[in-house]
Amino acid sequence: MRAIASHSFFRSTRGRACVFLVLLLASLYTHAKTARAAVERVEVIVREPFADGQIFGETGTYERVKGRLHYAIDPADPANQAIVDLDLAPVDDRGLVTFSGDFILLRPKSPDRGNNTLLYEVNNRGGLGMLPMFNLAPGANSPNMPVHAGDGLLFEQGYTLLWSAWNWDVIAGNERLQIELPVAMEHGEPVTGLVAAEFVSPVPAHSAPFMWGYSKGYPPVDPDDPDAVLSWRDGAFHQRNIIARASWSFSDFDTSRTPPQPTRVTSEEPFVPGRIYEVAYTARDPRVVGLGLATIRDAISYFRFGDPDLSTDIDRALAFGISQSGRVINHMIWQGFHLDETGRQVFDGALVHVAGAGKGSFNHRFAQTTRHPSHLEDQQYPADFFPFTTISTEDPVTGEMGSLLDLARTRSAVPKIIYTTTSTEYWTRAASLLHTDVLGKSDVPMAPNTRLYFFAGAQHGNWRWDRRGPYEHCTNALDHRYGMRALLLAMQSWLANKEEPPASVYPTFAAGTLGTVPAYRKQFPDIPTFRLPIGNLQPPRLDLGQRFAEEGIIDRHPVSLGQPFVTTVPLPDRDGIDQGGILLPDIAVPLATYTGWNLRRAEIGAPDKLARWSGSMLPFPADESSRVEAGDPRASLVERYPSRDDYANQITAAAEDLMKRRFLLADDISRIKDEALQRFDRIRAHPENDQSCRYTLLDTDQ
């Protein structure tokens, strides 16, 4: 048996028996062997004061350590049996699989002045995100300057911060973290298999990349292979139309790789915007991608338990991930990768942000880790698959039973988990499946050791532009990082002091705040010219072939898209703002309608499909006359807020209420008020706001 690679493995009697046997052997083996960290050597390249020796409150100064972690993974260890194709990886004379990857550590110079917590961020496609998230800092993939410390929250709190590379296919550049995972070989010969890559061109073009998200992809055995297929279709479930092989070719070869790998597809006929194009070809040299999950496990374990020089005084560890990185954490817990080779639980808690209900293509042959289903493309890749919930449920279509935490419960090693989500994930990342049945009919409670917090009206990321770009509406300007800062500290109190965090806040059928897209459209205010979505992501059940369940090998193409899971969305109030969530001050005292969805513009094709991560923002009419002239049913700004002072008082009151409920920090209230007033002034200064997106920005925006 090569791997426990799929949910269907756990469904079978044989699977349950094998899982029990693996767990029993792991328990016995833990006591029988000498403890040995899977990180066997740390190569320090840089060790220096962080932020020019800046002092961060009582914690003092920090040091920055950057280098390479050298891993040695035992293929025979029961803790590693879930890694697909590990038995095909080359081994050294000790029988161990060895490789190395980048790491960055920011630690208090005097560890006894820290808070004894290792905060590990699963990097997103080689990029670092927790300093922009929690410290409101500018983004940087190798933070070392004072500006990279932002307002210093994490450092003043005394966290030890760790990042390590896990994702082999991240393209080098912009200091993205790098790792070289081994290639699977069978009897000394290259392993081959069919790979499919989807792409959608936003403009008419004769050439387009067939990988995205800074990912490398897999090299074709022969770029001129006459059996390679390029096709197009108008939707995930539509019929494929084959393009003549003589009329297209692989192009733009990356000569830094051996053999040189194409990065684009070139066609005689231009690609039509909005169509799904798919290139399917025989690839070679699959990486042992599941080792990436093991490296996260082992990096945390090493710095928590194994290195007295670099990580002393660590009592607990917290894993954090944004989007893809949050799905990685879900996948790790589901497959037991939060336990190291000695059986220790490496992280006590997890903060999983905007991951929806997904896991990912993180542990199968020829896995393309960056791909995940969206409303338009990439629905054939295994990311949104059963189970989704934190307590056991059934999929009546397949008969499967389970939860994300089943294996963790079996090992009595269930971490505390806080899930945070925005409105966007309900539209494009199937977030409702975290807390409903798969038929979209009933609520499913969260497990006692978990919390789910929904930031109503927010979008997937904290970006904004003063232009529509490829989308129908202006992008969402709501900044939900202030809520995340408070929830991080609530998680810290939960882990360190056993202080329960606030009760979960999310929409439900029982409260009448969760429903279908038609129900959403019916309740949304009838705003002229404001186009509404007609659907959201309903991820399909996938048939990936007979070998996927037990061997992690996709041997069916095209992948069969089965009956979709039914997802639902938060229902809006009379202003078009989602109900059932945490109302951040800009939502509790709104100047506009904020949504988690946006629509593609006709110019980029597929105008009925949703933007992958962006929301919308439409300010309220300035006054009564403009409201009547526009036919807008929403109350005007003047009616809501007779004066600037009145608006300021309401914003302050809303922020103070959230602070009392532990959803905002006291130190952030003045900043929130200042930014809200600046937004108020910008919107009042642009009465033509139905045409301009300038109000989405602030003077402080980067």
Side-chain angles (χ1 to χ4, degrees):
M1 182 181 66
R2 280 191 185 148
I4 303 171
S6 170
H7 52 285
S8 58
F9 179 90
F10 293 100
R11 184 179 65 194
S12 66
T13 302
R14 177 187 174 195
R16 289 193 297 270
C18 288
V19 170
F20 177 79
L21 179 60
V22 167
L23 296 177
L24 177 63
L25 289 174
S27 176
L28 295 174
Y29 194 62
T30 295
H31 291 87
K33 71 175 184 175
T34 302
R36 173 179 53 79
V39 173
E40 64 174 358
R41 182 166 66 90
V42 177
E43 177 186 357
V44 174
I45 297 173
V46 175
R47 189 168 186 174
E48 62 186 4
F50 172 67
D52 293 341
Q54 182 176 337
I55 296 173
F56 297 100
E58 296 182 0
T59 310
T61 59
Y62 268 70
E63 70 171 344
R64 172 177 177 261
V65 184
K66 186 174 181 179
R68 300 278 290 180
L69 297 177
H70 293 262
Y71 301 91
I73 305 296
D74 184 358
D77 194 304
N80 299 323
Q81 294 307 295
I83 301 173
V84 172
D85 284 342
L86 183 59
D87 57 329
L88 302 184
V91 296
D92 64 11
D93 55 8
R94 301 169 296 173
L96 302 179
V97 178
T98 60
F99 54 96
S100 65
D102 296 339
F103 82 94
I104 298 174
L105 181 74
L106 300 179
R107 65 188 290 271
K109 184 65 176 175
S110 300
D112 59 333
R113 298 172 68 177
N115 68 359
N116 310 111
T117 302
L118 178 67
L119 178 55
Y120 179 93
E121 181 189 11
V122 180
N123 70 84
N124 190 313
R125 300 173 176 88
L128 281 51
M130 69 174 157
L131 291 178
M133 176 64 71
F134 298 120
N135 282 20
L136 310 178
N141 293 333
S142 185
N144 62 342
M145 305 295 292
V147 67
H148 298 148
D151 76 345
L153 176 69
L154 294 177
F155 306 115
E156 291 174 359
Q157 290 291 319
Y159 289 97
T160 295
L161 309 183
L162 176 64
W163 299 266
S164 64
W166 65 273
N167 190 352
W168 79 273
D169 65 350
V170 174
I171 294 174
N174 195 28
E175 300 186 285
R176 288 184 286 272
L177 297 179
Q178 299 288 296
I179 192 169
E180 278 293 323
L181 298 182
V183 172
M185 301 283 287
E186 200 153 25
H187 307 299
E189 296 295 326
V191 172
T192 63
L194 197 63
V195 167
E198 288 187 353
F199 61 95
V200 177
S201 179
V203 297
H206 289 275
S207 179
F210 60 96
M211 296 293 171
W212 67 278
Y214 306 117
S215 62
K216 298 175 184 176
Y218 298 93
V221 171
D222 177 10
D224 297 319
D225 182 359
D227 294 327
V229 175
L230 179 66
S231 65
W232 66 267
R233 62 194 194 278
D234 287 321
F237 289 84
H238 289 220
Q239 181 178 346
R240 288 167 171 81
N241 300 275
I242 306 301
I243 298 173
R245 183 64 177 94
S247 67
W248 69 273
S249 62
F250 290 106
S251 59
D252 289 6
F253 286 75
D254 178 1
T255 57
S256 69
R257 303 181 66 186
T258 304
Q261 181 174 339
T263 62
R264 303 176 75 87
V265 171
T266 297
S267 172
E268 292 179 0
E269 293 294 324
F271 298 121
V272 176
R275 280 182 175 172
I276 300 174
Y277 289 88
E278 178 188 74
V279 58
Y281 59 94
T282 299
R284 58 174 288 167
D285 298 339
R287 302 290 174 135
V288 184
V289 177
L291 278 170
L293 304 181
T295 67
I296 297 171
R297 173 197 72 187
D298 295 335
I300 298 174
S301 178
Y302 181 82
F303 284 103
R304 179 177 180 180
F305 302 118
D307 192 322
D309 179 44
L310 291 177
S311 58
T312 53
D313 293 320
I314 296 297
D315 295 334
R316 67 197 66 88
L318 170 60
F320 169 64
I322 303 172
S323 192
Q324 179 204 53
S325 305
R327 292 188 290 109
V328 169
I329 296 173
N330 281 345
H331 203 114
M332 289 182 67
I333 297 171
W334 173 63
Q335 287 201 305
F337 283 103
H338 64 305
L339 301 172
D340 67 13
E341 289 184 347
T342 68
R344 296 174 298 194
Q345 184 173 324
V346 298
F347 54 82
D348 309 271
L351 182 50
V352 178
H353 185 51
V354 296
K359 296 178 280 297
S361 293
F362 305 133
N363 188 20
H364 62 83
R365 184 176 292 180
F366 287 114
Q368 299 181 63
T369 59
T370 203
R371 295 189 183 276
H372 61 84
S374 74
H375 194 215
L376 175 60
E377 71 268 52
D378 285 349
Q379 293 192 27
Q380 64 175 301
Y381 302 97
D384 295 341
F385 55 85
F386 190 87
F388 301 100
T389 52
T390 55
I391 68 169
S392 187
T393 58
E394 180 185 9
D395 180 355
V397 174
T398 64
E400 293 177 80
M401 291 284 297
S403 83
L404 286 171
L405 305 181
D406 282 350
L407 192 56
R409 289 192 182 99
T410 302
R411 298 294 302 274
S412 299
V414 182
K416 295 177 171 67
I417 308 173
I418 287 180
Y419 294 100
T420 51
T421 188
T422 73
S423 293
T424 301
E425 287 74 57
Y426 283 91
W427 290 92
T428 63
R429 289 300 312 118
S432 65
L433 293 174
L434 271 172
H435 57 90
T436 72
D437 69 328
V438 296
L439 301 180
K441 292 183 177 180
S442 60
D443 297 315
V444 174
M446 300 296 295
N449 64 307
T450 65
R451 295 291 189 275
L452 171 59
Y453 302 113
F454 165 51
F455 293 115
Q459 72 176 11
H460 187 74
N462 288 286
W463 54 74
R464 58 192 67 86
W465 305 282
D466 59 343
R467 61 191 187 282
R468 285 179 169 80
Y471 305 131
E472 184 79 6
H473 308 301
C474 297
T475 55
N476 192 321
L478 181 65
D479 191 339
H480 59 267
R481 292 178 297 175
Y482 296 113
M484 289 297 296
R485 284 155 62 92
L487 290 175
L488 172 68
L489 300 196
M491 170 61 94
Q492 176 69 15
S493 294
W494 198 10
L495 296 177
N497 307 320
K498 298 183 179 179
E499 180 183 4
E500 293 275 338
S504 295
V505 182
Y506 58 91
T508 63
F509 294 124
T513 53
L514 190 71
T516 64
V517 173
Y520 179 94
R521 289 171 57 87
K522 184 177 180 179
Q523 289 188 206
F524 199 89
D526 185 13
I527 305 171
T529 72
F530 195 70
R531 191 160 62 91
L532 301 180
I534 60 174
N536 69 325
L537 172 64
Q538 309 279 325
R541 295 167 175 82
L542 302 178
D543 181 352
L544 300 165
Q546 295 182 351
R547 291 193 293 169
F548 188 79
E550 297 198 16
E551 297 180 65
I553 300 172
I554 299 174
D555 54 11
R556 176 171 189 154
H557 185 77
V559 169
S560 176
L561 304 184
Q563 182 176 334
F565 299 105
V566 179
T567 65
T568 48
V569 298
L571 297 178
D573 64 15
R574 63 182 181 180
D575 287 325
I577 292 174
D578 289 343
Q579 302 175 90
I582 297 170
L583 303 182
L584 294 173
D586 282 342
I587 296 295
V589 188
L591 299 171
T593 294
Y594 294 83
T595 78
W597 55 265
N598 211 323
L599 289 161
R600 295 168 60 94
R601 300 185 76 172
E603 294 91 321
I604 68 166
D608 61 325
K609 295 298 189 291
L610 297 169
R612 203 160 193 167
W613 303 287
S614 294
S616 305
M617 180 179 176
L618 183 68
F620 299 136
D623 51 35
E624 182 65 11
S625 62
S626 59
R627 186 192 73 78
V628 171
E629 181 181 354
D632 195 325
R634 303 170 301 161
S636 69
L637 289 173
V638 170
E639 182 180 353
R640 296 167 188 267
Y641 317 113
S643 70
R644 189 176 189 270
D645 287 344
D646 182 70
Y647 174 72
N649 292 337
Q650 291 190 49
I651 279 286
T652 302
E656 290 176 346
D657 176 67
L658 286 173
M659 178 198 68
K660 293 174 184 176
R661 296 165 56 200
R662 299 173 66 196
F663 293 127
L664 284 181
L665 302 178
D667 290 345
D668 286 341
I669 291 179
S670 61
R671 182 186 284 131
I672 290 169
K673 177 182 175 181
D674 290 345
E675 292 180 357
L677 287 172
Q678 189 183 144
R679 184 88 61 207
F680 179 88
D681 293 339
R682 277 180 174 260
I683 288 177
R684 290 294 295 269
H686 296 288
E688 76 284 7
N689 54 36
D690 61 326
Q691 298 297 324
S692 169
C693 297
R694 283 175 285 177
Y695 54 79
T696 60
L697 299 181
L698 297 176
D699 293 338
T700 55
D701 286 328
Q702 300 295 319

